[in-house]
Amino acid sequence: MPGAVCEIIDDIEDLISSQDITPKERYASRKSVNVRSKKRQVEKNVEPIEKIVLESVVPGTQKIYVKTWGCAHNNSDSEYMAGLLAAHGYPLTEDKWDAQLWLLNSCTVKSPAEDHFKNEIESGRSRGIHVVVAGCVPQGAPRAPYLQGLSVVGVQQIDRIVEIVEETLKGHTVRLFGQKKTGEGRKAGGASLLLPKVRKNPLIEIIPINTGCLNQCTYCKTKHARGELGSYPPEEIVERARQSFTEGVVEIWLTSEDTGTYGRDIGTSLPALLRRLVTVIPAGCRLRLGMTNPPYILEHLPDVADIMHHPRVYKFLHVPVQSGSDQVLADMKREYSRADFEQVVEYLREHVPGMTIATDIICGFPTETERDFEDTMTLCKKYKFPSLFINQFFPRPGTPAAKMTRVPGQEVKKRTKQLSDFFRSYEPYGHKVGEVQEVLVTDISHDKNYFVAHNEFYEQVLVPKEDKYMGKMVTVKIMSASKFSMVGQPIDKPKMAGVVQPLKKGEVSGLVSVREKKFPLPILFLLLAVVFRMIWMFL
């Protein structure tokens, strides 16, 4: 039985979201893929189509196509920008050739993602489509030649997307960067969490709790874009969660570049935030904690283990180790040792039985020797992680690692294959066949043949594709298992999770009252202004 995911996973979001890029899209930027090579050759022969400039056209009537690469934080940013545009009347479309403007939200972690982003820009421009770019690529490298002449929205300026789109449709180029500050002058988390948004999955709310990080990793370019740590106030995060549950959300993801650092800049901590959040999670709903680096979770281990026992929190944590060699970790400037990482894994596994720990490995970092790689292999063999995200090293321009002498490409591929072969050699879920589990159904599998649910350990369970299960808690018996998932047979009626029916796909979060009255937002604001004016005149 084919699983929902059938190849090495690049990122944790790929494991659980059907709306991420497909494997075909993910590898489209590799030069060895002949199909893309032919496509690019054809596109070179296509004469660019002149853009239609809309100086005299009423704003809010043009169709917008939104595409996102990268992490959950990027997906949340796209949902907010889509929500702002939809609230101002712009129709959103999933058919990019039917759109007058493309909003492309980029990721700078890996070269293939940026290559795909670059190709999409070229494709849109060649067809006369207006393009606005967002995300970490233009924020980290705004002077890149292929970005010249394009409108750009900075990662902390997403709340101004409407004016950027309107000016771009008029033929103008707008570039808005900048850093939001708190009233005390500190870096803020970003645009307000209470802005309208359009969720890609109406059942899942992605909440960025902070932006930026405290690390100086030599291979990473994300910090060039996201900068230093900036945390959102806990009150704003809790309110966003509370609002999402009133709109039918059944699962919330907390995301950032490093969730473990939350609150260090505003006098609080991640455990303190989690304790407040669990009080507003309705019965049957779940919270998933996002990625955290080892240095910043070490001091919170007892608190995190305690919170993981809460019935509405997934017993799951993504802790990227990147290498099993202390020397390589030092060269990466990861600020922890192998022993530190092992302490995290062993403490959590001991105090939270069955807990899922996912991790990342970079193969072929410039200073990695054969002995260093063997250290990585022994680490992975010791723990047999059920989710292991294997990446080849990509030199990112402007990072210290990009200037280091690289490991030969063939050697990098050999090491990647060796680790990948080991990862494929073990089956993490076979011992669970026959178990009865309670799972929360939130998505559809990549092959479209099943609905995707998760048990308390955030392990993927596939259930029959019947509408009555979507968004519900279901008791299942595990019938079979594969490398990435289990298949569950429902043995009881589904139970309603959450408090209300979810928004329909494409509906705008935060505008419930407007939606129910079917009233256009601009007209509502105009009527309110007239009413207040009349009251003022008669006072």
Side-chain angles (χ1 to χ4, degrees):
M1 198 289 300
V5 183
C6 57
E7 57 186 276
I8 297 302
I9 308 298
D10 277 347
D11 196 8
I12 187 62
E13 279 72 33
D14 296 339
L15 185 63
I16 38 69
S17 175
S18 66
Q19 289 134 18
D20 288 339
I21 60 175
T22 63
K24 180 179 179 181
E25 291 175 313
R26 183 180 296 115
Y27 298 116
S29 60
R30 293 188 179 176
K31 295 179 182 178
S32 61
V33 179
N34 295 329
V35 174
R36 176 175 168 227
S37 190
K38 293 178 181 178
K39 181 179 178 182
R40 291 189 69 190
Q41 187 64 37
V42 171
E43 288 184 353
K44 286 182 180 178
N45 298 326
V46 177
E47 292 188 10
I49 302 171
E50 186 176 353
K51 293 179 185 175
I52 300 175
V53 177
L54 304 170
E55 280 285 2
S56 60
V57 176
V58 177
T61 60
Q62 300 79 30
K63 292 182 180 178
I64 309 292
Y65 168 72
V66 181
K67 185 173 180 64
T68 310
W69 291 264
C71 64
H73 198 162
N74 260 24
N75 277 278
S76 176
D77 286 349
S78 290
E79 289 181 349
Y80 277 118
M81 290 189 285
L84 286 164
L85 291 166
H88 282 76
Y90 286 97
L92 304 175
T93 178
E94 296 183 0
D95 180 0
K96 63 183 180 181
W97 305 120
D98 188 38
Q100 286 75 53
L101 183 141
W102 291 359
L103 172 56
L104 307 178
N105 194 0
S106 62
C107 173
T108 193
V109 171
K110 303 172 192 174
S111 300
E114 183 170 351
D115 290 344
H116 199 275
F117 169 65
K118 181 179 178 179
N119 293 337
E120 198 79 342
I121 290 173
E122 293 173 354
S123 177
R125 279 179 149 177
S126 69
R127 289 163 174 78
I129 295 170
H130 295 274
V131 176
V132 174
V133 294
C136 292
V137 170
Q139 181 76 42
R143 294 184 179 86
Y146 69 93
L147 296 176
Q148 298 311 302
L150 292 176
S151 291
V152 179
V153 55
V155 294
Q156 286 208 318
Q157 303 295 320
I158 60 172
D159 52 338
R160 300 183 64 182
I161 186 61
V162 173
E163 60 187 283
I164 292 175
V165 164
E166 288 181 355
E167 290 302 314
T168 302
L169 288 168
K170 294 175 184 177
H172 306 150
T173 298
V174 183
R175 294 187 154 219
L176 291 180
F177 297 99
Q179 195 173 96
K180 294 188 183 297
K181 300 283 187 179
T182 66
E184 295 78 28
R186 293 190 302 267
K187 180 186 175 184
S192 171
L193 296 180
L194 303 180
L195 293 172
K197 67 158 53 176
V198 172
R199 301 183 184 96
K200 285 188 177 180
N201 185 334
L203 296 170
I204 297 175
E205 169 71 14
I206 307 172
I207 306 178
I209 61 175
N210 53 271
T211 190
C213 69
L214 297 175
N215 296 330
Q216 300 289 341
C217 301
T218 56
Y219 57 85
C220 182
K221 198 172 180 182
T222 302
K223 187 158 186 175
H224 294 199
R226 296 284 183 177
E228 294 291 337
L229 178 66
S231 300
Y232 281 98
E235 297 79 15
E236 192 172 346
I237 297 169
V238 172
E239 181 55 35
R240 182 76 222 189
R242 184 182 289 111
Q243 176 189 315
S244 70
F245 291 125
T246 67
E247 296 173 337
V249 162
V250 299
E251 189 171 288
I252 58 175
W253 300 352
L254 302 186
T255 186
S256 76
E257 285 65 57
D258 190 343
T259 58
T261 62
Y262 173 77
R264 286 170 172 257
D265 54 329
I266 58 174
T268 185
S269 68
L270 178 64
L273 172 66
L274 294 175
R275 287 195 179 95
R276 293 184 62 172
L277 275 171
V278 294
T279 64
V280 302
I281 303 176
C285 296
R286 296 289 184 269
L287 178 150
R288 191 198 86 181
L289 181 60
M291 186 274 287
T292 178
N293 284 307
Y296 307 109
I297 204 66
L298 268 170
E299 66 187 78
H300 299 313
L301 283 177
D303 289 326
V304 169
D306 181 59
I307 290 165
M308 290 291 167
H309 282 285
H310 196 285
R312 298 171 194 176
V313 177
Y314 284 119
K315 296 173 177 62
F316 168 89
L317 198 60
H318 179 199
V319 189
V321 64
Q322 306 302 4
S323 175
S325 162
D326 282 343
Q327 183 57 58
V328 173
L329 291 174
D331 295 336
M332 290 177 169
K333 289 193 176 180
R334 291 290 287 170
E335 300 181 3
Y336 58 88
S337 66
R338 172 175 173 151
D340 292 332
F341 175 76
E342 290 182 333
Q343 181 183 347
V344 172
V345 175
E346 290 172 7
Y347 186 95
L348 292 176
R349 283 187 172 184
E350 178 185 351
H351 291 83
V352 190
M355 180 167 176
T356 298
I357 296 178
T359 196
D360 298 4
I361 297 291
I362 295 175
C363 291
F365 185 79
T367 64
E368 182 185 75
T369 64
E370 187 63 38
R371 175 65 182 273
D372 294 324
F373 178 67
E374 283 304 314
D375 288 342
T376 295
M377 288 294 299
T378 61
L379 180 73
C380 294
K381 288 177 180 178
K382 180 178 181 179
Y383 293 113
K384 290 188 175 180
F385 301 101
S387 298
L388 180 61
F389 309 115
I390 304 167
N391 305 288
Q392 294 184 30
F393 169 76
F394 290 106
R396 304 302 294 133
T399 63
K403 300 176 183 178
M404 298 178 184
T405 303
R406 296 182 63 182
V407 176
Q410 285 303 114
E411 181 63 24
V412 176
K413 290 178 181 178
K414 183 183 112 176
R415 295 175 189 176
T416 304
K417 183 178 185 303
Q418 185 178 340
L419 183 56
S420 299
D421 288 345
F422 166 70
F423 178 57
R424 292 190 182 99
S425 71
Y426 59 89
E427 209 296 313
Y429 307 126
H431 66 287
K432 297 199 173 190
V433 172
E435 287 187 0
V436 174
Q437 300 179 355
E438 191 170 56
V439 300
L440 178 59
V441 185
T442 57
D443 215 330
I444 186 169
S445 62
H446 282 291
D447 60 15
K448 311 299 182 187
N449 293 329
Y450 299 89
F451 281 159
V452 175
H454 293 92
N455 60 20
E456 62 178 316
F457 306 110
Y458 205 71
E459 296 164 335
Q460 186 170 262
V461 179
L462 306 179
V463 300
K465 191 179 175 183
E466 299 178 28
D467 290 342
K468 64 181 179 181
Y469 297 131
M470 183 57 76
K472 307 293 196 308
M473 294 294 298
V474 183
T475 302
V476 301
K477 182 177 181 179
I478 302 302
M479 307 303 293
S480 63
S482 63
K483 177 62 181 174
F484 297 102
S485 61
M486 294 166 273
V487 175
Q489 179 62 45
I491 59 175
D492 200 355
K493 293 181 179 180
K495 296 182 281 289
M496 182 68 187
V499 292
V500 296
Q501 288 292 327
L503 301 181
K504 295 178 181 177
K505 187 174 176 63
E507 280 194 287
V508 182
S509 163
L511 301 178
V512 177
S513 60
V514 175
R515 181 183 80 249
E516 290 172 349
K517 294 179 181 180
K518 307 292 183 184
F519 222 62
L521 187 61
I523 296 177
L524 178 63
F525 287 157
L526 180 61
L527 289 175
L528 287 173
V530 171
V531 170
F532 286 129
R533 177 69 174 174
M534 292 178 66
I535 293 173
W536 179 81
M537 289 177 62
F538 287 101
L539 285 179

